[in-house]
Amino acid sequence: MNSKKLAVTAAAVVAMTAAFAGAANAQSRDQIRAVGSSTVFPFTTAVAEAFGKGGKFKTPVVESTGTGGGLKLFCAGVGPQHPDVANASRRIKKSEVEQCAANGVAQITELKVGFDGIALAYSKQAPHTDLTTQILWKALAKDVPVDGKMVANPYKKWSDIDPKLPNKEIEVLGPPPTSGTRDTFNELVMLEGCKKVAEVKAAVADEKAREKVCMTIREDGGYVEAGENDNLIVQKLTANPDAFGVFGYSFYDQNRDKLQTAKMDGVELSPEAVQAGKYELSRPLFIYIKNAHAGVIPGIREFIAEYTSERAMGEDGYLGDKGLISMPKAERDAARTSATNLTPLQL
């Protein structure tokens, strides 16, 4: 994106900040508000609690709205009625940055906080099952190739795809389209798995049409949208040993006593596998800060300092206890410097 479109002049920033300050005085808000990803929610909540315990500022309010929903709220405008921070389990899209700019949110700081691996989790009461992106695509795609043509997905049981798989109904509980986890799942599972099915390319020659076919999920009960509440998915998996659930590593990590995960293409989900780039369903996690609110809503810079501290997102930090997979030190240092300086995002 052209940097001119994302940048505003110093005078405009001063004017915007002054206008915001006036609004803030009229409708005061003395605590930070964060919205967004259910995956990032426990990490930002932990930072908010540690930050509040410092005693100088109120504990920030953190809401789980899903990545897409959170960025929509974040980008709606500048002022105390709009959130200061957006949690995101995927990188902000160019269209969202443009929406922010159109609503006066001209400068955003991006903070990469660490890594996550998407888990395909299921009850410990069920026999161990390993999966591949190709199998998952065949299980969850709306249309699949049969005899050279794309037809409505005929697979009702896992064993219909491969006799070695369980003779059980396909049921995968996962996030809705507003979720960053769903976006990542579409790209890393549906698109990549589809690419491994040669018959699809033969049946759908046009690349754009093929991509749409690849990422369209079935709606006949094989995939069940379970909302933005990952804890609810965990509860349903413990109640139904035949179902799989899609969510971030941290929720699996907090429920190891009840759940196990499928290997993906032969690789076990672990922090080491994610850090080494060996686990296919790995992704970075982010928060976004509204620069115009810094210095107006109390404590934003200090909140950033807490989030980027080694005691929080360091290799042995408290966010690791919550399931965050840390970045290498050089990457953490670079992220800390950029966020501390409120360096505006350039896409």
Side-chain angles (χ1 to χ4, degrees):
M1 179 182 294
N2 190 321
S3 61
K4 291 181 181 177
K5 291 182 180 178
L6 295 180
V8 293
T9 64
V13 172
V14 169
M16 188 183 300
T17 304
F20 175 75
N25 289 334
Q27 9 172 349
S28 60
R29 177 155 64 80
D30 59 357
Q31 63 191 137
I32 295 165
R33 181 183 170 211
V35 295
S37 165
S38 62
T39 300
V40 183
F41 172 80
F43 308 136
T44 299
T45 298
V47 174
E49 290 170 352
F51 176 74
K53 285 177 183 174
K56 190 174 179 183
F57 300 98
K58 286 189 175 181
T59 301
V61 175
V62 187
E63 300 170 64
S64 177
T65 62
T67 296
L71 286 168
K72 186 175 181 180
L73 291 168
F74 179 83
C75 289
V78 171
Q81 69 272 35
H82 302 292
D84 317 299
V85 174
N87 302 318
S89 59
R90 58 158 171 80
R91 199 172 192 218
I92 193 170
K93 297 175 182 176
K94 179 181 176 183
S95 59
E96 290 165 333
V97 173
E98 290 170 344
Q99 188 60 48
C100 267
N103 291 328
V105 184
Q107 292 192 336
I108 305 163
T109 293
E110 178 183 82
L111 170 59
K112 183 175 171 182
V113 299
F115 295 108
D116 181 36
I118 294 179
L120 268 295
Y122 56 106
S123 170
K124 272 197 168 179
Q125 305 306 313
H128 188 77
T129 303
D130 291 334
L131 298 171
T132 68
T133 50
Q134 184 175 343
I135 288 170
L136 274 172
W137 182 78
K138 286 183 177 180
L140 299 178
K142 184 175 182 179
D143 297 315
V144 298
V146 175
D147 297 329
K149 294 182 180 179
M150 300 301 293
V151 301
N153 195 327
Y155 305 128
K156 302 301 180 186
K157 296 182 177 181
W158 293 99
S159 55
D160 293 341
I161 300 170
D162 185 335
K164 296 176 185 175
L165 292 170
N167 183 29
K168 293 181 178 177
E169 297 284 329
I170 295 169
E171 183 178 347
V172 177
L173 306 167
T178 52
S179 166
T181 300
R182 174 71 169 266
D183 290 335
T184 304
F185 187 81
N186 282 346
E187 290 177 18
L188 299 183
V189 174
M190 299 304 290
L191 188 57
E192 293 304 314
C194 184
K195 287 177 181 177
K196 296 171 184 174
V197 182
E199 298 92 333
V200 177
K201 190 171 184 179
V204 187
D206 181 75
E207 190 175 345
K208 284 191 177 179
R210 187 166 63 248
E211 185 171 307
K212 184 177 180 181
V213 166
C214 286
M215 291 203 287
T216 302
I217 292 179
R218 67 194 302 176
E219 299 172 337
D220 60 356
Y223 183 90
V224 180
E225 289 183 5
E228 299 286 0
N229 189 339
D230 294 322
N231 285 313
L232 181 61
I233 298 180
V234 172
Q235 291 170 20
K236 289 187 174 182
L237 294 181
T238 55
N240 179 9
D242 294 342
F244 287 84
V246 177
F247 42 73
Y249 171 78
S250 65
F251 285 92
Y252 160 65
D253 191 47
Q254 301 297 318
N255 293 278
R256 285 175 179 269
D257 57 327
K258 307 183 197 81
L259 303 177
Q260 58 184 319
T261 61
K263 284 183 181 178
M264 287 303 305
D265 292 296
V267 179
E268 192 91 45
L269 171 57
S270 69
E272 294 76 20
V274 170
Q275 286 171 331
K278 293 179 179 178
Y279 186 72
E280 283 186 282
L281 311 187
S282 301
R283 58 178 173 174
L285 302 176
F286 303 91
I287 68 167
Y288 292 93
I289 301 109
K290 195 171 292 178
N291 289 14
H293 286 198
V296 182
I297 298 296
I300 287 179
R301 288 181 182 276
E302 291 83 357
F303 181 71
I304 293 169
E306 176 63 33
Y307 217 130
T308 59
S309 67
E310 283 296 291
R311 67 179 171 273
M313 70 181 202
E315 196 167 333
D316 298 314
Y318 60 76
L319 293 181
D321 297 334
K322 296 289 183 181
L324 182 70
I325 299 169
S326 67
M327 298 180 285
K329 188 175 187 306
E331 206 170 336
R332 295 198 303 270
D333 291 345
R336 180 180 302 112
T337 299
S338 177
T340 300
N341 293 333
L342 290 174
T343 304
L345 171 68
Q346 300 279 336
L347 285 184

